[in-house]
PDB file of all heavy atoms in Angstrom:
ATOM      1  N   GLN A   1      98.955  91.615  83.877  1.00 95.00           N
ATOM      2  CA  GLN A   1      97.586  91.881  84.311  1.00 95.00           C
ATOM      3  C   GLN A   1      97.318  91.319  85.709  1.00 95.00           C
ATOM      4  O   GLN A   1      96.475  91.847  86.436  1.00 95.00           O
ATOM      5  CB  GLN A   1      96.598  91.283  83.313  1.00 95.00           C
ATOM      6  CG  GLN A   1      96.681  91.916  81.931  1.00 95.00           C
ATOM      7  CD  GLN A   1      95.904  91.135  80.894  1.00 95.00           C
ATOM      8  OE1 GLN A   1      95.596  89.959  81.074  1.00 95.00           O
ATOM      9  NE2 GLN A   1      95.617  91.784  79.760  1.00 95.00           N
ATOM     10  N   LYS A   2      98.034  90.289  86.050  1.00 96.00           N
ATOM     11  CA  LYS A   2      97.838  89.659  87.356  1.00 96.00           C
ATOM     12  C   LYS A   2      98.108  90.657  88.484  1.00 96.00           C
ATOM     13  O   LYS A   2      97.336  90.756  89.448  1.00 96.00           O
ATOM     14  CB  LYS A   2      98.759  88.438  87.480  1.00 96.00           C
ATOM     15  CG  LYS A   2      98.629  87.659  88.775  1.00 96.00           C
ATOM     16  CD  LYS A   2      99.526  86.422  88.733  1.00 96.00           C
ATOM     17  CE  LYS A   2      99.448  85.643  90.042  1.00 96.00           C
ATOM     18  NZ  LYS A   2     100.319  84.430  89.995  1.00 96.00           N
ATOM     19  N   GLY A   3      99.212  91.396  88.373  1.00 95.00           N
ATOM     20  CA  GLY A   3      99.558  92.362  89.406  1.00 95.00           C
ATOM     21  C   GLY A   3      98.541  93.480  89.523  1.00 95.00           C
ATOM     22  O   GLY A   3      98.283  93.995  90.619  1.00 95.00           O
ATOM     23  N   ILE A   4      97.936  93.861  88.403  1.00 95.00           N
ATOM     24  CA  ILE A   4      96.926  94.929  88.424  1.00 95.00           C
ATOM     25  C   ILE A   4      95.689  94.471  89.186  1.00 95.00           C
ATOM     26  O   ILE A   4      95.107  95.216  89.977  1.00 95.00           O
ATOM     27  CB  ILE A   4      96.562  95.351  86.993  1.00 95.00           C
ATOM     28  CG1 ILE A   4      97.786  95.938  86.283  1.00 95.00           C
ATOM     29  CG2 ILE A   4      95.422  96.366  87.003  1.00 95.00           C
ATOM     30  CD1 ILE A   4      97.556  96.215  84.809  1.00 95.00           C
ATOM     31  N   VAL A   5      95.276  93.230  88.952  1.00 96.00           N
ATOM     32  CA  VAL A   5      94.098  92.701  89.652  1.00 96.00           C
ATOM     33  C   VAL A   5      94.365  92.570  91.146  1.00 96.00           C
ATOM     34  O   VAL A   5      93.505  92.889  91.974  1.00 96.00           O
ATOM     35  CB  VAL A   5      93.673  91.340  89.050  1.00 96.00           C
ATOM     36  CG1 VAL A   5      92.509  90.743  89.847  1.00 96.00           C
ATOM     37  CG2 VAL A   5      93.287  91.495  87.583  1.00 96.00           C
ATOM     38  N   ILE A   6      95.579  92.128  91.493  1.00 96.00           N
ATOM     39  CA  ILE A   6      95.907  91.947  92.913  1.00 96.00           C
ATOM     40  C   ILE A   6      96.095  93.294  93.600  1.00 96.00           C
ATOM     41  O   ILE A   6      95.611  93.517  94.719  1.00 96.00           O
ATOM     42  CB  ILE A   6      97.169  91.075  93.056  1.00 96.00           C
ATOM     43  CG1 ILE A   6      96.880  89.658  92.553  1.00 96.00           C
ATOM     44  CG2 ILE A   6      97.643  91.048  94.515  1.00 96.00           C
ATOM     45  CD1 ILE A   6      98.094  88.762  92.480  1.00 96.00           C
ATOM     46  N   GLY A   7      96.783  94.226  92.943  1.00 95.00           N
ATOM     47  CA  GLY A   7      96.996  95.547  93.509  1.00 95.00           C
ATOM     48  C   GLY A   7      98.093  95.564  94.551  1.00 95.00           C
ATOM     49  O   GLY A   7      98.593  94.520  94.993  1.00 95.00           O
ATOM     50  N   ALA A   8      98.502  96.760  94.965  1.00 95.00           N
ATOM     51  CA  ALA A   8      99.565  96.915  95.964  1.00 95.00           C
ATOM     52  C   ALA A   8      99.148  96.294  97.281  1.00 95.00           C
ATOM     53  O   ALA A   8      98.088  96.623  97.823  1.00 95.00           O
ATOM     54  CB  ALA A   8      99.877  98.400  96.155  1.00 95.00           C
ATOM     55  N   GLY A   9      99.974  95.373  97.761  1.00 96.00           N
ATOM     56  CA  GLY A   9      99.677  94.713  99.028  1.00 96.00           C
ATOM     57  C   GLY A   9      98.403  93.891  99.009  1.00 96.00           C
ATOM     58  O   GLY A   9      97.834  93.595 100.066  1.00 96.00           O
ATOM     59  N   GLY A  10      97.944  93.535  97.802  1.00 96.00           N
ATOM     60  CA  GLY A  10      96.703  92.750  97.677  1.00 96.00           C
ATOM     61  C   GLY A  10      95.452  93.580  97.867  1.00 96.00           C
ATOM     62  O   GLY A  10      94.346  93.026  97.964  1.00 96.00           O
ATOM     63  N   GLY A  11      95.601  94.912  97.888  1.00 97.00           N
ATOM     64  CA  GLY A  11      94.463  95.778  98.191  1.00 97.00           C
ATOM     65  C   GLY A  11      93.331  95.718  97.186  1.00 97.00           C
ATOM     66  O   GLY A  11      92.157  95.718  97.564  1.00 97.00           O
ATOM     67  N   GLN A  12      93.687  95.664  95.903  1.00 96.00           N
ATOM     68  CA  GLN A  12      92.635  95.622  94.877  1.00 96.00           C
ATOM     69  C   GLN A  12      91.845  94.324  94.949  1.00 96.00           C
ATOM     70  O   GLN A  12      90.613  94.314  94.847  1.00 96.00           O
ATOM     71  CB  GLN A  12      93.258  95.791  93.495  1.00 96.00           C
ATOM     72  CG  GLN A  12      92.266  95.866  92.344  1.00 96.00           C
ATOM     73  CD  GLN A  12      91.506  97.165  92.310  1.00 96.00           C
ATOM     74  OE1 GLN A  12      90.576  97.372  93.100  1.00 96.00           O
ATOM     75  NE2 GLN A  12      91.897  98.064  91.420  1.00 96.00           N
ATOM     76  N   LEU A  13      92.543  93.216  95.136  1.00 97.00           N
ATOM     77  CA  LEU A  13      91.878  91.918  95.206  1.00 97.00           C
ATOM     78  C   LEU A  13      90.951  91.843  96.424  1.00 97.00           C
ATOM     79  O   LEU A  13      89.848  91.282  96.353  1.00 97.00           O
ATOM     80  CB  LEU A  13      92.913  90.791  95.251  1.00 97.00           C
ATOM     81  CG  LEU A  13      92.371  89.373  95.077  1.00 97.00           C
ATOM     82  CD1 LEU A  13      91.712  89.213  93.711  1.00 97.00           C
ATOM     83  CD2 LEU A  13      93.496  88.347  95.236  1.00 97.00           C
ATOM     84  N   LYS A  14      91.403  92.426  97.547  1.00 98.00           N
ATOM     85  CA  LYS A  14      90.550  92.456  98.744  1.00 98.00           C
ATOM     86  C   LYS A  14      89.279  93.260  98.481  1.00 98.00           C
ATOM     87  O   LYS A  14      88.186  92.881  98.915  1.00 98.00           O
ATOM     88  CB  LYS A  14      91.323  93.058  99.918  1.00 98.00           C
ATOM     89  CG  LYS A  14      92.420  92.160 100.468  1.00 98.00           C
ATOM     90  CD  LYS A  14      93.191  92.859 101.588  1.00 98.00           C
ATOM     91  CE  LYS A  14      94.346  91.996 102.069  1.00 98.00           C
ATOM     92  NZ  LYS A  14      95.172  92.698 103.091  1.00 98.00           N
ATOM     93  N   LYS A  15      89.431  94.373  97.782  1.00 98.00           N
ATOM     94  CA  LYS A  15      88.271  95.221  97.482  1.00 98.00           C
ATOM     95  C   LYS A  15      87.284  94.465  96.592  1.00 98.00           C
ATOM     96  O   LYS A  15      86.064  94.501  96.817  1.00 98.00           O
ATOM     97  CB  LYS A  15      88.741  96.496  96.797  1.00 98.00           C
ATOM     98  CG  LYS A  15      87.658  97.565  96.645  1.00 98.00           C
ATOM     99  CD  LYS A  15      88.173  98.783  95.902  1.00 98.00           C
ATOM    100  CE  LYS A  15      89.302  99.482  96.658  1.00 98.00           C
ATOM    101  NZ  LYS A  15      89.733 100.731  95.949  1.00 98.00           N
ATOM    102  N   ILE A  16      87.813  93.783  95.576  1.00 97.00           N
ATOM    103  CA  ILE A  16      86.968  92.986  94.684  1.00 97.00           C
ATOM    104  C   ILE A  16      86.245  91.903  95.473  1.00 97.00           C
ATOM    105  O   ILE A  16      85.027  91.713  95.340  1.00 97.00           O
ATOM    106  CB  ILE A  16      87.814  92.361  93.556  1.00 97.00           C
ATOM    107  CG1 ILE A  16      88.345  93.451  92.621  1.00 97.00           C
ATOM    108  CG2 ILE A  16      87.021  91.317  92.764  1.00 97.00           C
ATOM    109  CD1 ILE A  16      89.462  92.992  91.704  1.00 97.00           C
ATOM    110  N   GLY A  17      86.994  91.197  96.312  1.00 98.00           N
ATOM    111  CA  GLY A  17      86.418  90.102  97.085  1.00 98.00           C
ATOM    112  C   GLY A  17      85.367  90.569  98.073  1.00 98.00           C
ATOM    113  O   GLY A  17      84.305  89.935  98.221  1.00 98.00           O
ATOM    114  N   SER A  18      85.607  91.662  98.765  1.00 98.00           N
ATOM    115  CA  SER A  18      84.655  92.163  99.761  1.00 98.00           C
ATOM    116  C   SER A  18      83.333  92.564  99.113  1.00 98.00           C
ATOM    117  O   SER A  18      82.246  92.236  99.603  1.00 98.00           O
ATOM    118  CB  SER A  18      85.247  93.349 100.520  1.00 98.00           C
ATOM    119  OG  SER A  18      86.364  92.941 101.280  1.00 98.00           O
ATOM    120  N   ALA A  19      83.428  93.289  97.999  1.00 98.00           N
ATOM    121  CA  ALA A  19      82.207  93.733  97.320  1.00 98.00           C
ATOM    122  C   ALA A  19      81.434  92.549  96.751  1.00 98.00           C
ATOM    123  O   ALA A  19      80.201  92.493  96.830  1.00 98.00           O
ATOM    124  CB  ALA A  19      82.556  94.728  96.221  1.00 98.00           C
ATOM    125  N   ALA A  20      82.146  91.589  96.159  1.00 98.00           N
ATOM    126  CA  ALA A  20      81.481  90.411  95.595  1.00 98.00           C
ATOM    127  C   ALA A  20      80.834  89.577  96.703  1.00 98.00           C
ATOM    128  O   ALA A  20      79.715  89.080  96.540  1.00 98.00           O
ATOM    129  CB  ALA A  20      82.486  89.566  94.812  1.00 98.00           C
ATOM    130  N   ARG A  21      81.517  89.429  97.832  1.00 98.00           N
ATOM    131  CA  ARG A  21      80.951  88.650  98.938  1.00 98.00           C
ATOM    132  C   ARG A  21      79.660  89.275  99.450  1.00 98.00           C
ATOM    133  O   ARG A  21      78.667  88.575  99.692  1.00 98.00           O
ATOM    134  CB  ARG A  21      81.972  88.549 100.079  1.00 98.00           C
ATOM    135  CG  ARG A  21      81.439  87.842 101.322  1.00 98.00           C
ATOM    136  CD  ARG A  21      82.439  87.871 102.459  1.00 98.00           C
ATOM    137  NE  ARG A  21      82.895  89.217 102.766  1.00 98.00           N
ATOM    138  CZ  ARG A  21      82.170  90.110 103.460  1.00 98.00           C
ATOM    139  NH1 ARG A  21      80.950  89.795 103.900  1.00 98.00           N
ATOM    140  NH2 ARG A  21      82.660  91.313 103.702  1.00 98.00           N
ATOM    141  N   ARG A  22      79.638  90.598  99.603  1.00 97.00           N
ATOM    142  CA  ARG A  22      78.425  91.257 100.085  1.00 97.00           C
ATOM    143  C   ARG A  22      77.264  91.052  99.102  1.00 97.00           C
ATOM    144  O   ARG A  22      76.118  90.838  99.504  1.00 97.00           O
ATOM    145  CB  ARG A  22      78.691  92.744 100.298  1.00 97.00           C
ATOM    146  CG  ARG A  22      79.595  93.041 101.476  1.00 97.00           C
ATOM    147  CD  ARG A  22      79.582  94.519 101.836  1.00 97.00           C
ATOM    148  NE  ARG A  22      80.109  95.361 100.768  1.00 97.00           N
ATOM    149  CZ  ARG A  22      81.381  95.712 100.648  1.00 97.00           C
ATOM    150  NH1 ARG A  22      82.278  95.278 101.542  1.00 97.00           N
ATOM    151  NH2 ARG A  22      81.778  96.488  99.661  1.00 97.00           N
ATOM    152  N   ALA A  23      77.579  91.114  97.806  1.00 96.00           N
ATOM    153  CA  ALA A  23      76.535  90.902  96.801  1.00 96.00           C
ATOM    154  C   ALA A  23      76.003  89.473  96.858  1.00 96.00           C
ATOM    155  O   ALA A  23      74.796  89.232  96.724  1.00 96.00           O
ATOM    156  CB  ALA A  23      77.083  91.212  95.406  1.00 96.00           C
ATOM    157  N   MET A  24      76.889  88.506  97.080  1.00 96.00           N
ATOM    158  CA  MET A  24      76.464  87.112  97.211  1.00 96.00           C
ATOM    159  C   MET A  24      75.573  86.922  98.428  1.00 96.00           C
ATOM    160  O   MET A  24      74.557  86.210  98.375  1.00 96.00           O
ATOM    161  CB  MET A  24      77.691  86.196  97.305  1.00 96.00           C
ATOM    162  CG  MET A  24      78.501  86.076  96.033  1.00 96.00           C
ATOM    163  SD  MET A  24      79.991  85.073  96.298  1.00 96.00           S
ATOM    164  CE  MET A  24      80.995  85.575  94.900  1.00 96.00           C
TER     165      MET A  24
END
């Protein structure tokens, strides 16, 4: 599951982080 959350090249994790940061 860790790899799924991180995504290829960290892309999924970056997307999660960017959206969460904007909401914060």
Side-chain angles (χ1 to χ4, degrees):
Q1 296 169 340
K2 182 176 178 180
I4 297 173
V5 176
I6 294 173
Q12 184 72 283
L13 190 62
K14 289 177 184 176
K15 190 183 297 184
I16 293 165
S18 295
R21 176 185 54 77
R22 290 193 296 269
M24 291 176 199

